[in-house]
């Protein structure tokens, strides 16, 4: 049955949760099946590494495309389209039989993911504008929970010996169903503002400079997240000599703290404001990663990775929210700029750390992301601005 609540705003929020969870689930299922897809395509790790860049390139292109489309046609149109493209494209890597076909499949999958990512974040901003209080972080937590569900479901499918193509095909069908059921609950496009042209031009120039700062902060903070994703386990194993099972707890601690933090951030942001969330969150992340990098003991390192995840958890949602609220008429474009540069940072983080390990021990390379966290904390004042309220949506008590 279609999502139907008495309040259109509440229904729109529920639909946004559904799309965030769907995106996390789709991309999580791809990650779980990477080894099986690599084997089917008959390629090695080195070739796979280069092909994964096509996934990133496709996502960046999709983000740049979806931003203007969302502003022109509304998130209600672009979000379902992005979900359909991302869902349908998921099956393509499972059908790839060589490097060329896998590269093309990843390019399309990345494009679908980028389109869905930007459009659903733009819709989340619209929902947040209607609620007149922070609700963005909870959406990002739902994305993480979708990834957890994908890890569990994907592991079960692999344990049963299912091949990638039928598994990913079934998930693609599920994605199409979710996209169709959630679509009617999405909010209609907001009317464009009627600001006089000279004032609008001056405001957009100020907004453009602010968006550039937000995008730079997103790049630095998502670089930090990428470092945790790819290097936390190796740090415990290679630097501290932990067993593989114990080393895996490093990423588990980071990811769990990240998800839990995002579930709690909205209330904290509503009480203390986004500036405090970014300033103290990035500071806590810097402290946590410093402890993990310098610790001679595994328990302290795990505590450091936990604090790192908790500190980072609320930072990126604040940046996306600020980008979307900066200019209601260009919310999609602004979110795409911040998300696009942030996504490049997530890809760049692991790639930068690798070459640095030739010059210094792995744990010392972590002071690059520590520096990024410190810079973000110092620049938190960029979020200090009055958030515009949509005239098309009335505040509601939830």
């Amino acid at each position: 049955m279609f999502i139907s609540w008495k309040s259109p705003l509440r229904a729109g929020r529920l639909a946004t949760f559904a799309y965030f969870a769907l995106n996390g689930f789709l991309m999580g299922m791809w990650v779980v099946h990477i080894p099986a897809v690599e084997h089917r395509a008959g390629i090695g790790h080195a070739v796979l590494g280069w092909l994964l860049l096509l996934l990133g390139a496709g996502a960046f292109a999709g983000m740049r495309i979806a931003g203007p489309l969302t502003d022109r046609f509304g998130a209600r149109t672009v979000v379902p389209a992005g979900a359909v493209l991302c869902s349908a494209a998921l099956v393509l890597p499972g059908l790839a039989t060589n490097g060329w076909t896998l590269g093309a499949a990843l390019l399309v999958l990345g494009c679908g993911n980028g389109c869905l990512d930007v459009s659903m974040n733009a819709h989340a901003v619209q929902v947040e504008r209607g609620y007149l209080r922070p609700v963005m972080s909870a959406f990002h937590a739902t994305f993480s929970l979708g990834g957890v569900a994908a890890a569990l479901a994907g592991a079960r499918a692999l344990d049963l010996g299912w091949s990638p193509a039928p598994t990913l095909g079934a998930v693609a069908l599920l994605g199409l169903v979710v996209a169709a059921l959630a679509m009617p609950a999405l909010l209609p496009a907001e009317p464009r503002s009627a600001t006089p042209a000279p004032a609008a031009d001056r405001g957009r120039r100020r907004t453009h400079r602010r968006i550039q700062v937000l995008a730079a902060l997103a790049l630095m903070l998502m670089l930090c997240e990428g470092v945790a994703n790819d290097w936390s386990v190796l740090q415990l194993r290679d630097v501290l000599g932990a067993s593989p099972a114990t080393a895996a707890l490093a990423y588990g601690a980071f990811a769990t703290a990240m998800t839990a933090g995002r579930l709690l951030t909205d209330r904290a942001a509503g009480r203390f404001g986004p500036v405090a969330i970014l300033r103290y969150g990035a500071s806590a992340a810097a402290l946590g990663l410093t402890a993990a990098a310098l610790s001679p003991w595994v328990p302290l390192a795990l505590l450091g990775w936990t604090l790192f995840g908790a500190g980072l958890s609320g930072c990126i949602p604040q940046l996306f929210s600020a980008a979307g609220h900066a200019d209601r008429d260009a919310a999609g474009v602004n979110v795409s700029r911040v998300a696009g540069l942030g996504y490049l940072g997530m890809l760049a983080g692991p790639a930068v750390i690798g070459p640095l390990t030739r010059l210094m021990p792995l744990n010392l390379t972590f002071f690059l992301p520590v520096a990024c966290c410190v810079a973000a904390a110092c620049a938190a004042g960029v979020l200090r601005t009055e958030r515009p309220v949509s005239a098309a949506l009335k505040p509601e008590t939830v």
Side-chain angles (χ1 to χ4, degrees):
M1 59 182 294
F2 290 112
I3 295 174
S4 177
W5 281 26
K6 292 182 179 180
S7 163
L9 185 56
R10 292 179 180 178
R13 187 184 185 190
L14 180 61
T16 310
F17 277 125
Y19 282 110
F20 269 81
L22 174 62
N23 193 15
F25 189 75
L26 293 175
M27 299 313 296
M29 289 298 290
W30 150 245
V31 170
V32 169
H33 284 85
I34 286 178
V37 169
E38 179 187 36
H39 177 73
R40 175 182 170 84
I43 59 175
H45 295 336
V47 175
L48 177 64
W50 286 107
L51 293 180
L52 288 176
L53 293 178
L54 292 175
L55 180 70
F60 185 77
M63 291 175 181
R64 303 298 296 200
I65 293 171
L69 290 178
T70 301
D71 291 334
R72 181 172 182 179
F73 300 107
R76 191 175 195 173
T77 299
V78 183
V79 171
V84 167
L85 177 58
C86 191
S87 298
L90 182 66
V91 72
L92 298 180
L95 300 174
T97 55
N98 54 55
W100 292 102
T101 53
L102 179 57
L106 293 180
L107 190 65
V108 177
L109 177 60
C111 184
N113 178 50
C115 289
L116 178 57
D117 190 291
V118 163
S119 58
M120 70 184 186
N121 272 287
H123 187 266
V125 169
Q126 187 177 349
V127 171
E128 187 173 60
R129 188 177 290 118
Y131 271 84
L132 300 178
R133 62 178 175 84
V135 296
M136 176 68 79
S137 291
F139 295 135
H140 285 251
T142 307
F143 174 89
S144 300
L145 293 175
V148 172
L152 297 174
R156 181 57 177 166
L158 293 171
D159 186 57
L160 294 173
W162 295 356
S163 61
T167 303
L168 297 179
V171 174
L173 289 176
L174 174 64
L176 295 177
V177 171
V178 171
L181 294 180
M183 179 176 63
L186 294 174
L187 300 176
E190 297 176 306
R192 300 183 70 85
S193 61
T195 306
D201 290 341
R202 288 193 298 271
R204 289 194 176 103
R205 284 195 295 270
R206 289 193 300 269
T207 297
H208 180 68
R209 290 192 294 270
R210 185 163 177 255
I211 293 301
Q212 289 177 322
V213 177
L214 293 174
L217 292 176
L219 184 148
M220 290 188 289
L221 292 174
M222 292 184 74
L223 181 149
C224 297
E225 187 174 340
V227 168
N229 292 343
D230 285 27
W231 293 99
S232 56
V233 175
L234 288 173
Q235 186 252 343
L236 257 71
R237 191 189 68 188
D238 295 348
V239 177
L240 298 181
S243 66
T246 301
L249 295 177
Y251 177 70
F254 171 81
T256 301
M258 174 80 75
T259 303
R262 285 178 172 173
L263 289 171
L264 300 173
T265 295
D266 285 331
R267 289 189 178 275
R271 181 173 182 179
F272 302 108
V275 175
I277 297 298
L278 180 56
R279 176 169 294 148
Y280 296 111
S283 299
L287 179 62
L289 188 53
T290 299
L294 298 181
S295 172
W297 306 295
V298 169
L300 180 57
L302 290 175
L303 180 62
W305 285 111
T306 302
L307 182 58
F308 187 51
L312 284 181
S313 61
C315 295
I316 290 298
Q318 305 309 309
L319 299 180
F320 282 19
S321 178
H325 288 295
D327 183 352
R328 190 183 68 186
D329 295 341
V333 169
N334 290 335
V335 170
S336 72
R337 289 170 177 165
V338 173
L341 206 57
Y343 195 85
L344 291 181
M346 182 172 288
L347 294 175
V352 169
I353 294 298
L356 285 178
T357 59
R358 297 183 179 183
L359 304 175
M360 63 188 73
L362 174 60
N363 59 316
L364 296 185
T365 66
F366 292 158
F367 283 98
L368 172 62
V370 166
C372 290
C373 290
V374 171
C378 293
V382 71
L383 298 180
R384 189 179 290 110
T385 182
E386 183 178 355
R387 177 173 295 173
V389 178
S390 169
L393 296 174
K394 296 180 180 180
E396 300 208 6
T397 302
V398 180

